[in-house]
Amino acid sequence: MDTTPVTAPGNDILVAEEVTKVFPGVIANDAVNLNVRRGEIHCLLGENGAGKTTLADILYGVYRPDDGRVLLNGEPLDLHSPRDAIEAGIGMVHQHFELVPPMSVIENVVIGTGAKQWLDLSEARRRLEEFFADYDVEIDPDAEVGRLSVGEQQWVEIFKTLYFGVEILILDEPTAVLTPQGVDELFRILRQMRDEGLTIILITHKLREVIALSDRVTVLRRGEVVGTVNTADVEQRDLARMMVGRDVLMQADKAQHDTGEVVLKIDDIHLASDTGRGSLKGLSLDVRGGEILGIAGVSGNGQNALFDAVVGVRHPEQGTIRIADADTTHAPPHKVALQGVASVPGDRIAQGLMMDFSVKENLILGNQRARRFARAGVLNRAEIDRFADESIEHFEIKTPSASQTTSTLSGGNLQKIIMARELSGEPRLIIVHQPTRGLDIAASEYVRRRLIEERDRGVAVLLMSEDLDEIFQLSDRIAVIYDGRIDYVAEPEATSLEEIGLYMAGVVEAAGAAP
Amino acid sequence: MSDSGTSQQADEAAGSAGGSPPRGRDLRTALMQPDGWRLERRLEVRPTYELYATVIALAITAVLIGLLVLLVGVSPFDAFSSLYEGAFGDRESALETLVQSTPLILTGLAAAVAFRAGVWNIGGQGQFIAGAIGTFFVYDMFPGLPAPLLIVAMLVGAAVFGAIWATVASVLLVRYNTNEILTTVMLNFVIDYFLSWLLSGVWQASNTPYSQTERMAENTYLPRFFDDSRLHWGFAIALIAAAFVHFMMRRTSMGFEFRAIGVNKRAASYKGINTAVSIVAVMAVSGALAGLAGAGELLGLHHRINFEFGEQQIGFTGIIIALVARLHPVGVIAVAIAFAGLVNGATQMQISTGIPAALVTVIEGVALVLVLVAAVACRYRLRRGAVHADESAEGSE
Ligand SMILES: Nc1ncnc2c1ncn2[C@@H]1O[C@H](COP(=O)(O)OP(=O)(O)OP(=O)(O)O)[C@@H](O)[C@H]1O
Ligand SMILES: [Mg+2]
């Protein structure tokens, strides 16, 4: 892959000197030095909680450094807000989006550009269409943002930033929400943008992406810079070692294993979603105890509806869902939970966490009545503390204390809270949607290993992921969801990435391989 | 780090950036018009900011009220000092302030509990009346009960009636998704008329033309703490209720669920919290607290229900108190006592300065608005927009 920019990498454009940021109980950035050159793609790499987002937020004016300074083109840059950053030519797309869902694409783009521009949507439309044409992206400028797929929303975020005419674009884990095709598309466009002179700072946990895309990499560990290297000089393994400080086992082993009874049986369910997108149209599947059924698919093909139907948040209009011996087709979530179902939703903030609660409260969310944590309706604080400390240790959740407000944790650590909580009980069925989204490699491997352990204990695992490597690594059977149906199921040995990819894209009609 | 000349520096830095992408600079220049002062969201909101903001809001309230008083031609100092004298100046008035605060603490707690769970119970007033009705109902039904038992039964009756009245709204909410703000407000009217009907019908005292009940027997009076004050056990009940609310919200599974639906109802239901049950339960608790306020007033002070019973709008004031206290039970006690002090001191102020006691309502209103504004405002900061003096020169590089 040719990663040499057309315009030779220039001088330092953005430099952080000894930047330090302290939050109560954590040094998020400890005398960080970073130099980003004009026209390069510079990756920031590091474990969850290493301080990547914090550093990016400082460059983008969200936080002010407690010490040290930031230089833009050699001049000290004193930012007080993202708006200052944008004025200085620095834009950022955050890990968790900041769009206004009920508004249109175009309104989201012009929002915040100042009152005078509000009325002149035609000019904005022209420019936006120009962008879309330039980069071959198909999005309707009048579409309501809430109805776009996550990948498309990401495009809106990126174009919104470009619309301001920034010269430096910071992307915080943009690929965590993308399908493999989406990642390719993003990378194609990022290269094009770089070649046109844009400087890009990219945060990601996926080493393959770092190698494929970046010119240079800066690795952070516990708030400190471990080093900056030319991507061409290193391999994935080196980067992993820099990040973690030791060699990382890159594969979770999975032994052959006998499966048990069918735990989850879904029969021909139909569920219309109100946006019309992602409806289920006669989906059937079954998962046995002791197996992991991986569901591959481009997001927006019914994964959310499937998740909601299984956990009981929405109910199918037609068809049945059985968990073990119980018909849960119309059971509400609290009844479904009684069947021993653990669930990790796709949208961790909206569906999985109480951001205003403490970490320990989130760790017991849903189990607040479990005998372990409550006696006669009174919470057992000692036990909750014990459990929280245990979870924080096992999952290496980076937080100053178990009483910390959840919203202050880093993205990956939020995901760890959910995983720790859901893997803590003794479920019969685990349904996980993007379980390793935003997790660093060590944490991802830990979660994968735990999922395999659960499977080995006889738990049925329904895994939905857009990460095909993950699907192949974990699944005992792979199913492809496309347009609300599953018409293809195969064992990993009997299929290939390419074949799955074709079914995911809906290119191939299912032929005889049905469940 | 110095704050001065920063936007200037940023500008120069940006301006010196040659060779930027073609569509960059001109557009940014066009979009980033200087627009003077502007509000920006603060990313770090420390808890102490909120406390400061509340204190500042109350201070501004005092200043504004002072100006208003000045406008009427009275020295604010005289007004405030007579207000204070009347409220807390001596033992008698201080105790009387506590008397007045008793029902306010309870209705304040009632609102705080519901609001924490994200349920907008505006029906504290109606539930207060329902509580009084429940009290009298038990009194009427079980005339033979020995006094201590009767008092307990009446308090339970008040709580149950208040809870039932709140449940009407919560059931409508969970079954038919009716807006609880509207239903609770409407139910306030309904119970008012129901009370009038009772007072002029089955419960009307014999040989009197007034719409009122018989005076209740002396053995139903809540005991008083002191001989020289009306302060009755209701105040202790209110304090116990505040402790109970705090305990329930922080230390019980049910309170955990209440807070959860208040913070993120969607995630709560994904995690198997039965949101309908929680809503009904929290409304019942809320209604019960307001109902107890009704019992306290009836058994501690009035000893009969008449058409004036609900006139002080205890239920509505409770909403304001809960909001000013930012929904914290301890804050509710403090704010309720302060509000009671205002009411109590206003009479003194009217006598010695001629300012109408109704000023208290203004104070409450201003305080509410400012505290709410402060709650939002501490998430923002005000700053001066960057001035682009040399924008036009930039393109020529
Ligand atoms: N507003 C805040 N208040 C307190 N602590 C914070 C705050 N923001 C971040 N932190 C802490 O600072 C550390 C670094 O967080 P940061 O978000 O920069 O990590 P990250 O490298 O982006 O991790 P991830 O890969 O999980 O997104 C974490 O320990 C986090 O808990
Ligand atoms: Mg991050």
Side-chain angles (χ1 to χ4, degrees), chain A residues 53 95 172-173 411:
Chain A
T53 300
Q95 209 164 353
D172 194 354
E173 295 191 33

Side-chain angles (χ1 to χ4, degrees), chain A residues 333-397:
Chain A
H334 58 274
K335 292 267 169 60
V336 175
L338 292 181
Q339 295 302 317
V341 178
S343 60
V344 177
D347 185 338
R348 57 192 171 214
I349 291 181
Q351 301 165 339
L353 291 169
M354 302 283 157
M355 293 298 269
D356 291 346
F357 274 25
S358 66
V359 171
K360 63 182 167 197
E361 285 175 325
N362 270 304
L363 282 166
I364 65 152
L365 179 64
N367 297 326
Q368 66 279 355
R369 286 178 188 273
R371 194 165 307 155
R372 175 166 183 197
F373 299 124
R375 288 278 148 70
V378 177
L379 295 172
N380 181 344
R381 293 205 291 188
E383 186 57 30
I384 292 172
D385 285 341
R386 191 151 50 230
F387 170 71
D389 290 342
E390 206 178 280
S391 305
I392 288 170
E393 190 189 321
H394 287 167
F395 282 81
E396 297 187 23
I397 300 172

Side-chain angles (χ1 to χ4, degrees), chain A residues 36 54 65 73 77 96 109 157 221 258 281 317 338 349 366 418 431 452 456 460:
Chain A
V36 180
T54 305
N73 291 305
L77 186 61
H96 306 114
V109 168
E157 282 277 19
R221 193 195 309 153
D258 293 335
K281 302 170 184 168
E317 293 104 36
L338 292 181
I349 291 181
I418 297 181
I431 173 167
I452 291 171
D456 292 346

